[in-house]
Amino acid sequence: MCLATQQLSRQLLAYEKQNFALGKGDEEVISTLHYFSNVVDKLNVLHTELAKQLADTMVLPIIQFREKDLTEVSTLKDLFGIASNEHDLSMAKYSRLPKKKENEKAKSEVVKEVAAARRKQHLSSLQYYCALNALQYRKRVAMMEPMIGFAHGQINFFKKGAEMFSQSMDSFLSSVTDMVQSIQVELEAEAEKMRVSQQELLSVDESVYTPDFDVSTPEANRNLIQKAGYLNLRNKTGLVTTTWERLYFFTQGGNLMCQPRGAVAGGLIQDLDNCSVMAVDCEDRRYCFQITTPNGKSGIILQAESKKENEEWICAINNISRQIYLTDNPEAVAIKLNQTALQAVTPITSFGKKQESPCPSQNLKSPETENDKVVPKAAVSIPEADQLIAPGTPIQFDIVLPASEFLDQNRVGRRTNPFGESEDETFPEAEDSLLQQMFIVRFLGSMAVKTDNTTEVIYEAMRQVLAARAIHNIFRMTESHLMVTSQTLRLIDPQTQVTRANFELTSVTQFAAHQENKRLVGFVVRMPESTGGESLSTYVFESNAEGEKICYAINLGKEIIEVQKDPEALAQLMLSIPLTSDGKYVLLNDQPDDNDGTSSGNRGTESEA
């Protein structure tokens, strides 16, 4: 018994080193066990046979705690794991439902299976969590009751022990007994509270367990700066084969994190700063979206559970990519950015309708005099929005012209290429151009404008296009290659190399990059109409590179057009631009883009270029 009490004293002191996941109220237990350790050390020499009393008052409660309480928690944990696995299997079936020509009977059965699995998982999780909460109280009692019995046995069996500790030990044991009773009262109150909570949670409508139950009127929150939830991650397992894995994703600052089941912490999946996100069609699955890196490389493809979740993930990633989370009040900034639409705008997807819409053209300038006219910024007042763009002007969200339609218009009397590829001689100026610069861009929208006297018309068009996309849930963008030459601006399909649109550089009267979002760029084009007049249209793009570099390239091309009239000025300009190995003039990647005025169409004199 002497050796046993010595070991017991060391174990009591080591209790505070045990790693409990939930340690609520352990401070009082630790201090009390320290006091008991001192008592055991003093009673070390006084122990005799206490086998029977120790077996009844000390060993039995510990065995009951181990065999009953801990076994119950372990069993509930296994049941929760089984329910979770069944839910994952049912969700996998639901995720594989096709988007078109669905079998309504099969879909109904799968939906019912998902709802039943969710309810079963919900019930098992509630039971498991309640048992864990109760265990935090029972483990404290399980350590206290054996020690009370042990101490009482020492005092009752040994008169010398009673004389040694007298009333001080009695008062201590009394206080510990009161503490245990108070813990029991707290346990009963907590158990009743959890029982009421379970009834309230389980009394909700069965529709909340149905996936995408709010598909008719999803109220997506567009101001989120952080998001968490389960998504399906697309993984390529071969050249043409893919698998989908359901994982838990959450955002942390500017990072997208993923935490597999059973992992202690999440791992980095994607850096969201300056990235782009759009909804995509992928393998006939619904609610898919793709995250693209700032350098234009395709990132990961994820599938959300519902339309609402899909829109909220896209909006949250868009807000994070703007680095709103670094501001002092990110929630207010997100709300402000998403409330930029002050007037109703109606999207259209037909190029023909856009050409038929009324387009006022007051105060138009000739393209020949535009390049020579420099207006000081201090002398120009910012016009009102309705002076730049007519209220209610329709916006076109698809690419300017389909590839086949554009080629047909530019090949009068020629047969159509069955492969949809543009011929080399369609744009012969590309080979003879002194300037060729390629940029990866995504078309955001275009609309008719009233004037091209100021770059403010481009900023206003950017605001209305982005606001219209947010209002009408338009997340898809067409990616193209923007080829800037000394004669034209060409939009080229990156896969087929078909030219989607072509603008003469002399018809571009204004161009500018966004003042805050440097990746946004736009330009105003003056086009002749069939009636004999002219129309003005603004085209807005998102670029992987800085918009200033695109503006610099356009400005350089216009300067080349001007100096081509003077051979000496042309030679001087060409000497200031480096050559490639094949003799082409290209731009440097480190051109100045902040203090040289490249964001507008009025760059400066020829010597500055």
Side-chain angles (χ1 to χ4, degrees):
M1 291 298 296
C2 180
L3 295 176
T5 51
Q6 290 179 357
Q7 183 67 20
L8 175 60
S9 177
R10 290 193 292 268
Q11 293 294 337
L12 293 177
L13 294 176
Y15 173 80
E16 60 181 333
K17 300 178 182 180
Q18 300 301 318
N19 183 20
F20 285 102
L22 302 176
K24 180 181 178 181
D26 274 1
E27 293 79 9
E28 295 179 349
V29 176
I30 291 173
S31 61
T32 305
L33 293 180
H34 282 185
Y35 189 89
F36 271 124
S37 177
N38 295 330
V39 171
V40 171
D41 290 338
K42 294 179 181 180
L43 292 174
N44 227 358
V45 295
L46 304 177
H47 283 298
T48 58
E49 289 189 299
L50 297 176
K52 186 177 182 301
Q53 188 169 2
L54 292 178
D56 295 337
T57 60
M58 183 178 179
V59 178
L60 183 60
I62 295 178
I63 294 177
Q64 290 178 343
F65 174 74
R66 183 185 64 189
E67 300 296 333
K68 180 181 177 183
D69 298 330
L70 296 182
T71 303
E72 179 186 7
V73 172
S74 178
T75 302
L76 291 175
K77 177 183 178 182
D78 294 338
L79 293 176
F80 173 67
I82 294 173
S84 299
N85 293 334
E86 293 178 355
H87 178 251
D88 289 345
L89 293 176
S90 61
M91 281 304 303
K93 291 182 180 179
Y94 175 78
S95 299
R96 290 193 297 267
L97 286 176
K99 182 166 58 178
K100 297 180 179 179
K101 298 181 180 180
E102 298 177 343
N103 189 331
E104 294 298 328
K105 181 178 180 180
K107 178 181 177 183
S108 176
E109 293 176 357
V110 172
V111 168
K112 291 180 180 179
E113 182 180 350
V114 171
R118 284 188 172 179
R119 180 176 179 84
K120 182 178 179 181
Q121 183 191 32
H122 192 186
L123 180 61
S124 62
S125 63
L126 289 175
Q127 294 175 347
Y128 178 43
Y129 298 154
C130 292
L132 283 177
N133 292 335
L135 183 63
Q136 306 309 311
Y137 296 93
R138 292 195 179 101
K139 73 177 179 63
R140 294 155 61 187
V141 174
M143 294 303 302
M144 294 295 185
E145 286 184 340
M147 296 315 305
I148 295 175
F150 176 81
H152 277 305
Q154 294 286 1
I155 295 174
N156 292 336
F157 276 90
F158 298 101
K159 181 179 179 180
K160 188 176 181 179
E163 293 174 354
M164 183 183 298
F165 295 103
S166 65
Q167 295 182 355
S168 61
M169 191 64 184
D170 291 337
S171 61
F172 171 71
L173 293 176
S174 176
S175 64
V176 175
T177 303
D178 293 340
M179 183 176 68
V180 172
Q181 292 177 353
S182 66
I183 295 175
Q184 292 283 6
V185 173
E186 292 179 6
L187 171 60
E188 293 175 359
E190 182 70 17
E192 178 63 21
K193 181 180 178 181
M194 290 186 291
R195 185 185 64 81
V196 174
S197 298
Q198 285 189 52
Q199 292 180 349
E200 293 177 354
L201 293 173
L202 295 175
S203 62
V204 297
D205 191 354
E206 293 289 338
S207 62
V208 301
Y209 295 100
T210 304
D212 210 10
F213 72 96
D214 56 352
V215 66
S216 58
T217 57
E219 298 179 0
N221 186 356
R222 303 181 180 281
N223 305 320
L224 295 175
I225 56 173
Q226 57 183 4
K227 179 72 175 171
Y230 277 93
L231 296 171
N232 290 333
L233 173 64
R234 181 176 180 264
N235 296 316
K236 294 195 68 175
T237 57
L239 294 177
V240 294
T241 58
T242 58
T243 60
W244 294 82
E245 184 178 7
R246 190 168 184 264
L247 299 171
Y248 183 78
F249 288 84
F250 62 95
T251 60
Q252 190 175 64
N255 299 323
L256 178 64
M257 313 290 288
C258 173
Q259 183 172 351
R261 181 172 295 174
V264 189
L268 177 64
I269 292 294
Q270 180 77 47
D271 184 2
L272 299 179
D273 287 343
N274 298 319
C275 73
S276 60
V277 59
M278 67 180 74
V280 294
D281 291 328
C282 186
E283 300 180 5
D284 201 26
R285 287 196 173 218
R286 301 172 297 173
Y287 315 134
C288 294
F289 60 94
Q290 175 177 302
I291 302 175
T292 305
T293 58
N295 58 10
K297 294 182 179 179
S298 299
I300 58 175
I301 296 179
L302 301 168
Q303 180 189 19
E305 180 180 301
S306 63
K307 181 179 180 181
K308 176 184 176 182
E309 285 290 305
N310 184 45
E311 294 181 2
E312 287 189 348
W313 271 106
I314 292 177
C315 292
I317 294 175
N318 268 326
N319 292 335
I320 294 173
S321 67
R322 302 176 185 174
Q323 299 183 350
I324 297 176
Y325 63 92
L326 298 177
T327 59
D328 295 333
N329 192 352
E331 291 83 2
V333 175
I335 294 174
K336 183 178 179 181
L337 290 177
N338 287 291
Q339 287 180 345
T340 55
L342 300 179
Q343 58 186 6
V345 288
T346 304
I348 64 173
T349 57
S350 172
F351 183 78
K353 292 181 180 180
K354 181 176 183 301
Q355 295 294 337
E356 296 170 1
S357 62
C359 180
S361 57
Q362 296 87 351
N363 302 325
L364 294 178
K365 310 185 304 299
S366 64
E368 290 77 7
T369 59
E370 165 63 16
N371 296 327
D372 298 332
K373 184 177 180 180
V374 179
V375 180
K377 293 184 178 180
V380 179
S381 61
I382 300 178
E384 298 294 334
D386 55 356
Q387 296 176 350
L388 301 174
I389 302 175
T393 300
I395 299 176
Q396 178 178 332
F397 293 118
D398 56 359
I399 199 62
V400 183
L401 273 180
S404 58
E405 183 178 341
F406 178 81
L407 292 177
D408 290 342
Q409 292 182 3
N410 289 275
R411 293 180 180 176
V412 179
R414 293 189 178 185
R415 67 178 182 90
T416 302
N417 191 328
F419 298 99
E421 299 176 352
S422 59
E423 300 176 1
D424 296 337
E425 58 270 18
T426 304
F427 297 97
E429 77 279 357
E431 293 297 331
D432 300 332
S433 176
L434 296 176
L435 170 68
Q436 287 190 30
Q437 185 72 9
M438 183 79 74
F439 300 95
I440 299 176
V441 296
R442 285 171 291 279
F443 180 72
L444 296 179
S446 63
M447 60 191 309
V449 296
K450 286 184 174 182
T451 178
D452 59 352
N453 291 328
T454 174
T455 56
E456 292 297 329
V457 68
I458 299 178
Y459 303 145
E460 178 63 21
M462 290 178 178
R463 185 190 70 80
Q464 292 197 20
V465 167
L466 294 178
R469 279 183 168 270
I471 291 174
H472 298 284
N473 301 331
I474 302 175
F475 300 110
R476 298 183 181 178
M477 295 178 288
T478 303
E479 186 171 286
S480 303
H481 288 171
L482 177 63
M483 172 70 77
V484 181
T485 69
S486 58
Q487 299 177 19
T488 62
L489 297 180
R490 293 169 54 194
L491 285 176
I492 303 173
D493 187 285
Q495 296 181 350
T496 63
Q497 298 303 309
V498 173
T499 301
R500 290 172 170 161
N502 183 59
F503 303 100
E504 293 294 333
L505 207 55
T506 54
S507 66
V508 178
T509 58
Q510 285 285 358
F511 49 92
H514 196 276
Q515 297 169 327
E516 296 179 359
N517 188 349
K518 300 299 184 181
R519 295 191 300 167
L520 292 181
V521 66
F523 54 83
V524 181
V525 178
R526 183 186 296 268
M527 301 292 290
E529 292 183 334
S530 57
T531 57
E534 291 182 325
S535 64
L536 295 174
S537 299
T538 298
Y539 296 85
V540 181
F541 297 87
E542 180 187 46
S543 172
N544 289 346
E546 293 186 5
E548 301 281 357
K549 296 182 180 180
I550 299 180
C551 292
Y552 177 82
I554 297 175
N555 187 76
L556 185 58
K558 296 178 76 68
E559 289 180 353
I560 292 175
I561 294 176
E562 291 298 318
V563 300
Q564 278 178 339
K565 304 172 184 178
D566 185 356
E568 294 183 0
L570 177 61
Q572 183 180 359
L573 178 62
M574 292 300 100
L575 288 175
S576 63
I577 309 176
L579 287 171
T580 62
S581 59
D582 55 355
K584 295 293 183 181
Y585 288 96
V586 296
L587 297 180
L588 292 174
N589 292 329
D590 55 349
Q591 293 291 351
D593 52 9
D594 291 329
N595 302 318
D596 57 358
T598 59
S599 62
S600 68
N602 304 317
R603 177 168 174 80
T605 63
E606 297 174 6
S607 61
E608 291 173 343

Coordinates of all heavy atoms in Angstrom, one line a residue, residues 129-185:
Y129 N -22.4 14.4 -30.1 CA -21.9 15.6 -29.5 C -22.5 15.7 -28.1 O -21.8 16.2 -27.2 CB -22.3 16.8 -30.4 CG -21.8 16.8 -31.7 CD1 -22.4 17.5 -32.8 CD2 -20.6 16.2 -32.0 CE1 -21.9 17.5 -34.1 CE2 -20.0 16.2 -33.3 CZ -20.7 16.8 -34.3 OH -20.2 16.8 -35.6
C130 N -23.7 15.3 -27.9 CA -24.3 15.4 -26.5 C -23.5 14.5 -25.6 O -23.3 14.8 -24.4 CB -25.8 15.0 -26.6 SG -26.8 16.2 -27.4
A131 N -23.2 13.3 -26.1 CA -22.4 12.4 -25.2 C -21.0 12.9 -24.9 O -20.5 12.8 -23.8 CB -22.2 11.0 -25.9
L132 N -20.4 13.6 -25.9 CA -19.1 14.2 -25.6 C -19.2 15.3 -24.6 O -18.3 15.5 -23.7 CB -18.5 14.8 -26.9 CG -17.9 13.8 -27.9 CD1 -17.5 14.6 -29.2 CD2 -16.7 13.1 -27.3
N133 N -20.3 16.2 -24.7 CA -20.5 17.2 -23.7 C -20.7 16.7 -22.3 O -20.2 17.2 -21.3 CB -21.6 18.1 -24.1 CG -21.3 18.9 -25.4 OD1 -20.2 19.2 -25.7 ND2 -22.4 19.3 -26.1
A134 N -21.5 15.6 -22.3 CA -21.7 15.0 -20.9 C -20.5 14.4 -20.4 O -20.3 14.3 -19.2 CB -22.9 13.9 -21.1
L135 N -19.6 13.8 -21.3 CA -18.4 13.2 -20.8 C -17.5 14.2 -20.1 O -16.7 13.8 -19.2 CB -17.7 12.6 -22.0 CG -16.4 11.8 -21.7 CD1 -16.7 10.6 -20.8 CD2 -15.7 11.3 -23.0
Q136 N -17.5 15.5 -20.5 CA -16.7 16.4 -19.9 C -17.0 16.6 -18.4 O -16.1 16.9 -17.6 CB -16.8 17.8 -20.6 CG -16.5 17.7 -22.1 CD -15.2 17.0 -22.4 OE1 -14.2 17.3 -21.8 NE2 -15.3 16.1 -23.3
Y137 N -18.3 16.4 -18.1 CA -18.7 16.5 -16.6 C -18.4 15.1 -16.0 O -17.9 15.1 -14.8 CB -20.2 16.8 -16.5 CG -20.5 18.2 -17.1 CD1 -20.9 18.3 -18.4 CD2 -20.4 19.3 -16.3 CE1 -21.2 19.6 -18.9 CE2 -20.7 20.6 -16.8 CZ -21.1 20.7 -18.1 OH -21.4 21.9 -18.5
R138 N -18.7 14.0 -16.6 CA -18.5 12.7 -16.0 C -17.1 12.4 -15.7 O -16.8 11.7 -14.7 CB -19.1 11.6 -16.9 CG -20.7 11.7 -17.0 CD -21.2 10.4 -17.6 NE -22.7 10.5 -17.7 CZ -23.4 10.7 -18.8 NH1 -22.7 10.9 -19.9 NH2 -24.7 10.8 -18.8
K139 N -16.2 12.9 -16.6 CA -14.8 12.6 -16.4 C -14.3 13.3 -15.1 O -13.4 12.8 -14.4 CB -14.0 13.0 -17.6 CG -13.8 14.4 -17.8 CD -12.9 14.7 -19.0 CE -12.7 16.2 -19.3 NZ -12.0 16.9 -18.2
R140 N -14.8 14.5 -14.9 CA -14.5 15.2 -13.7 C -15.0 14.5 -12.4 O -14.3 14.4 -11.4 CB -15.0 16.6 -13.7 CG -14.3 17.5 -14.9 CD -15.1 18.6 -15.3 NE -15.4 19.6 -14.3 CZ -16.3 20.6 -14.4 NH1 -16.9 20.8 -15.6 NH2 -16.5 21.4 -13.4
V141 N -16.2 14.0 -12.5 CA -16.8 13.3 -11.4 C -16.1 12.0 -11.2 O -15.8 11.5 -10.0 CB -18.3 13.1 -11.6 CG1 -18.9 12.2 -10.5 CG2 -19.1 14.4 -11.7
A142 N -15.7 11.3 -12.3 CA -15.0 10.0 -12.2 C -13.7 10.1 -11.5 O -13.2 9.1 -10.9 CB -14.9 9.4 -13.6
M143 N -13.1 11.3 -11.5 CA -11.8 11.5 -10.8 C -12.0 11.9 -9.4 O -11.2 11.7 -8.5 CB -11.0 12.6 -11.5 CG -10.5 12.1 -12.9 SD -9.6 10.6 -12.9 CE -8.2 11.0 -11.8
M144 N -13.2 12.6 -9.1 CA -13.4 13.1 -7.7 C -14.0 12.0 -6.8 O -13.5 11.8 -5.7 CB -14.4 14.2 -7.8 CG -13.9 15.5 -8.5 SD -12.5 16.2 -7.6 CE -12.2 17.6 -8.6
E145 N -14.9 11.2 -7.3 CA -15.6 10.2 -6.4 C -14.6 9.2 -5.8 O -14.7 8.9 -4.6 CB -16.7 9.6 -7.1 CG -17.9 10.5 -7.3 CD -19.1 9.7 -8.0 OE1 -18.8 8.7 -8.6 OE2 -20.2 10.2 -7.9
P146 N -13.7 8.6 -6.6 CA -12.8 7.6 -6.0 C -11.9 8.3 -5.0 O -11.6 7.6 -4.0 CB -12.0 7.2 -7.2 CG -12.8 7.4 -8.4 CD -13.6 8.7 -8.1
M147 N -11.5 9.5 -5.2 CA -10.7 10.2 -4.2 C -11.4 10.5 -2.9 O -10.8 10.4 -1.8 CB -10.1 11.4 -4.8 CG -9.2 11.2 -6.0 SD -8.0 9.9 -5.8 CE -7.2 10.4 -4.3
I148 N -12.7 10.8 -3.0 CA -13.5 11.0 -1.8 C -13.6 9.7 -1.0 O -13.3 9.7 0.2 CB -14.9 11.5 -2.1 CG1 -14.8 12.9 -2.8 CG2 -15.8 11.6 -0.9 CD1 -16.1 13.4 -3.2
G149 N -13.9 8.6 -1.7 CA -13.9 7.3 -1.0 C -12.6 6.9 -0.4 O -12.5 6.3 0.7
F150 N -11.5 7.2 -1.1 CA -10.2 6.8 -0.6 C -9.9 7.6 0.6 O -9.4 7.0 1.6 CB -9.2 7.1 -1.7 CG -7.8 6.9 -1.3 CD1 -7.2 5.7 -1.3 CD2 -7.0 8.0 -0.9 CE1 -5.9 5.4 -0.9 CE2 -5.7 7.8 -0.5 CZ -5.1 6.5 -0.5
A151 N -10.1 8.9 0.6 CA -9.8 9.7 1.8 C -10.7 9.4 3.0 O -10.2 9.3 4.1 CB -10.0 11.2 1.4
H152 N -12.0 9.1 2.8 CA -12.8 8.7 3.9 C -12.4 7.4 4.5 O -12.4 7.2 5.7 CB -14.3 8.5 3.4 CG -15.0 9.8 3.4 ND1 -15.2 10.7 4.5 CD2 -15.7 10.5 2.3 CE1 -15.9 11.7 4.2 NE2 -16.2 11.6 2.8
G153 N -11.9 6.5 3.6 CA -11.4 5.2 4.2 C -10.2 5.4 5.1 O -10.1 4.7 6.1
Q154 N -9.3 6.2 4.7 CA -8.1 6.5 5.5 C -8.5 7.0 6.9 O -8.0 6.6 7.9 CB -7.2 7.5 4.7 CG -6.6 7.0 3.5 CD -5.5 5.9 3.7 OE1 -5.2 5.6 4.8 NE2 -5.0 5.4 2.6
I155 N -9.4 8.0 6.9 CA -9.8 8.6 8.2 C -10.5 7.6 9.1 O -10.3 7.6 10.3 CB -10.5 9.9 7.9 CG1 -9.7 10.9 7.2 CG2 -11.1 10.5 9.2 CD1 -10.4 12.2 6.8
N156 N -11.5 6.9 8.5 CA -12.3 6.0 9.3 C -11.5 4.8 9.8 O -11.8 4.3 11.0 CB -13.4 5.5 8.4 CG -14.4 6.6 8.1 OD1 -14.5 7.6 8.8 ND2 -15.1 6.4 7.0
F157 N -10.6 4.3 9.1 CA -9.8 3.1 9.6 C -8.7 3.4 10.5 O -8.2 2.6 11.2 CB -9.3 2.3 8.4 CG -10.3 1.4 7.8 CD1 -11.2 1.8 6.8 CD2 -10.4 0.1 8.3 CE1 -12.1 0.9 6.3 CE2 -11.4 -0.8 7.8 CZ -12.2 -0.4 6.8
F158 N -8.2 4.6 10.5 CA -7.0 4.9 11.3 C -7.3 6.1 12.2 O -7.5 7.3 11.7 CB -5.8 5.2 10.4 CG -5.4 4.1 9.5 CD1 -5.8 4.0 8.2 CD2 -4.7 3.0 10.1 CE1 -5.4 2.9 7.4 CE2 -4.3 1.9 9.3 CZ -4.7 1.9 7.9
K159 N -7.3 5.9 13.4 CA -7.5 6.9 14.4 C -6.3 7.9 14.3 O -6.5 9.1 14.5 CB -7.6 6.3 15.8 CG -7.8 7.3 16.9 CD -7.9 6.6 18.2 CE -8.1 7.6 19.4 NZ -8.3 6.9 20.7
K160 N -5.2 7.4 14.1 CA -4.0 8.3 14.0 C -4.2 9.3 12.9 O -3.8 10.5 13.0 CB -2.7 7.5 13.9 CG -1.5 8.3 14.0 CD -0.3 7.5 14.0 CE 1.0 8.3 14.1 NZ 2.2 7.4 14.1
G161 N -4.7 8.8 11.8 CA -4.9 9.7 10.7 C -5.9 10.8 11.0 O -5.8 12.0 10.6
A162 N -7.0 10.4 11.7 CA -8.0 11.4 12.1 C -7.4 12.4 13.1 O -7.7 13.6 13.0 CB -9.2 10.7 12.8
E163 N -6.5 12.0 14.0 CA -5.9 12.9 14.9 C -4.9 13.8 14.1 O -4.7 15.0 14.5 CB -5.2 12.1 16.0 CG -6.1 11.4 16.9 CD -5.3 10.5 17.9 OE1 -4.1 10.4 17.7 OE2 -5.9 9.9 18.8
M164 N -4.3 13.3 13.1 CA -3.3 14.1 12.4 C -3.9 15.2 11.6 O -3.4 16.3 11.6 CB -2.5 13.1 11.4 CG -1.4 13.8 10.7 SD -0.6 12.7 9.5 CE 0.1 11.5 10.7
F165 N -5.1 14.9 10.9 CA -5.6 16.0 10.1 C -6.8 16.7 10.7 O -7.1 17.8 10.2 CB -6.1 15.3 8.8 CG -5.0 14.7 8.0 CD1 -4.8 13.4 7.9 CD2 -4.2 15.6 7.2 CE1 -3.7 12.8 7.2 CE2 -3.1 15.0 6.5 CZ -2.9 13.7 6.5
S166 N -7.4 16.1 11.7 CA -8.5 16.7 12.5 C -9.5 17.4 11.6 O -9.9 16.8 10.5 CB -7.9 17.7 13.5 OG -7.3 18.8 12.8
Q167 N -10.0 18.6 11.9 CA -11.1 19.2 11.2 C -10.7 19.8 9.8 O -11.5 20.0 9.0 CB -11.7 20.3 12.0 CG -12.3 19.8 13.3 CD -12.9 20.9 14.1 OE1 -12.8 22.1 13.8 NE2 -13.6 20.6 15.2
S168 N -9.4 20.1 9.6 CA -9.0 20.7 8.3 C -9.3 19.7 7.2 O -9.8 20.2 6.1 CB -7.5 21.0 8.4 OG -6.7 19.8 8.5
M169 N -9.1 18.4 7.4 CA -9.3 17.5 6.3 C -10.8 17.3 6.1 O -11.3 17.2 5.0 CB -8.7 16.1 6.6 CG -8.7 15.1 5.5 SD -7.7 15.8 4.1 CE -8.0 14.5 2.9
D170 N -11.6 17.4 7.2 CA -13.1 17.2 7.1 C -13.7 18.4 6.2 O -14.5 18.2 5.4 CB -13.7 17.2 8.4 CG -13.4 15.9 9.2 OD1 -13.0 14.9 8.5 OD2 -13.4 15.9 10.4
S171 N -13.2 19.6 6.5 CA -13.7 20.7 5.8 C -13.3 20.7 4.3 O -14.1 21.0 3.4 CB -13.2 22.0 6.4 OG -11.8 22.1 6.4
F172 N -12.1 20.2 4.1 CA -11.7 20.1 2.7 C -12.5 19.1 1.9 O -13.0 19.3 0.8 CB -10.2 19.7 2.6 CG -9.7 19.3 1.2 CD1 -9.6 20.3 0.2 CD2 -9.5 18.0 0.9 CE1 -9.2 20.0 -1.0 CE2 -9.1 17.7 -0.4 CZ -8.9 18.6 -1.3
L173 N -12.8 17.9 2.5 CA -13.6 16.9 1.9 C -15.0 17.4 1.7 O -15.7 17.1 0.7 CB -13.5 15.6 2.7 CG -12.2 14.9 2.7 CD1 -12.3 13.7 3.6 CD2 -11.8 14.5 1.3
S174 N -15.5 18.2 2.6 CA -16.8 18.7 2.5 C -16.9 19.6 1.3 O -17.9 19.6 0.6 CB -17.2 19.4 3.8 OG -18.5 20.0 3.7
S175 N -15.9 20.5 1.2 CA -16.0 21.4 0.0 C -15.9 20.7 -1.3 O -16.5 21.1 -2.3 CB -14.8 22.4 0.2 OG -13.6 21.8 0.1
V176 N -15.0 19.6 -1.3 CA -14.9 18.9 -2.6 C -16.2 18.2 -2.9 O -16.7 18.1 -4.1 CB -13.8 17.8 -2.5 CG1 -13.7 17.0 -3.7 CG2 -12.4 18.6 -2.3
T177 N -16.9 17.6 -1.9 CA -18.2 17.0 -2.1 C -19.2 18.0 -2.6 O -20.0 17.7 -3.5 CB -18.7 16.4 -0.8 OG1 -17.7 15.4 -0.3 CG2 -20.0 15.6 -1.0
D178 N -19.2 19.2 -2.1 CA -20.1 20.2 -2.6 C -19.8 20.6 -4.0 O -20.7 20.8 -4.9 CB -20.0 21.5 -1.7 CG -20.5 21.2 -0.3 OD1 -21.3 20.3 -0.1 OD2 -20.1 22.0 0.6
M179 N -18.5 20.6 -4.4 CA -18.2 20.9 -5.8 C -18.6 19.8 -6.7 O -19.1 20.1 -7.8 CB -16.6 21.0 -5.9 CG -16.2 21.4 -7.3 SD -14.4 21.7 -7.4 CE -13.8 20.1 -7.1
V180 N -18.5 18.5 -6.3 CA -19.0 17.4 -7.1 C -20.5 17.5 -7.3 O -21.0 17.3 -8.4 CB -18.6 16.1 -6.5 CG1 -19.2 14.9 -7.3 CG2 -17.1 15.9 -6.5
Q181 N -21.2 17.8 -6.2 CA -22.7 18.0 -6.3 C -23.1 19.1 -7.3 O -24.0 19.0 -8.0 CB -23.3 18.2 -4.9 CG -23.2 16.9 -4.0 CD -23.7 17.2 -2.6 OE1 -24.0 18.3 -2.3 NE2 -23.7 16.2 -1.8
S182 N -22.3 20.2 -7.2 CA -22.6 21.3 -8.1 C -22.4 20.9 -9.6 O -23.1 21.3 -10.5 CB -21.8 22.5 -7.7 OG -20.4 22.3 -8.0
I183 N -21.3 20.1 -9.8 CA -21.1 19.6 -11.2 C -22.2 18.8 -11.6 O -22.6 18.8 -12.8 CB -19.7 18.9 -11.2 CG1 -18.6 19.9 -10.9 CG2 -19.5 18.3 -12.6 CD1 -17.2 19.2 -10.8
Q184 N -22.7 17.9 -10.7 CA -23.9 17.1 -11.1 C -25.1 17.9 -11.5 O -25.8 17.6 -12.5 CB -24.2 16.1 -9.9 CG -23.2 15.1 -9.6 CD -23.2 13.9 -10.6 OE1 -24.0 14.0 -11.6 NE2 -22.4 12.9 -10.4
V185 N -25.3 19.0 -10.8 CA -26.4 19.9 -11.1 C -26.2 20.5 -12.4 O -27.1 20.6 -13.3 CB -26.6 21.0 -10.0 CG1 -27.6 22.0 -10.4 CG2 -27.0 20.3 -8.7

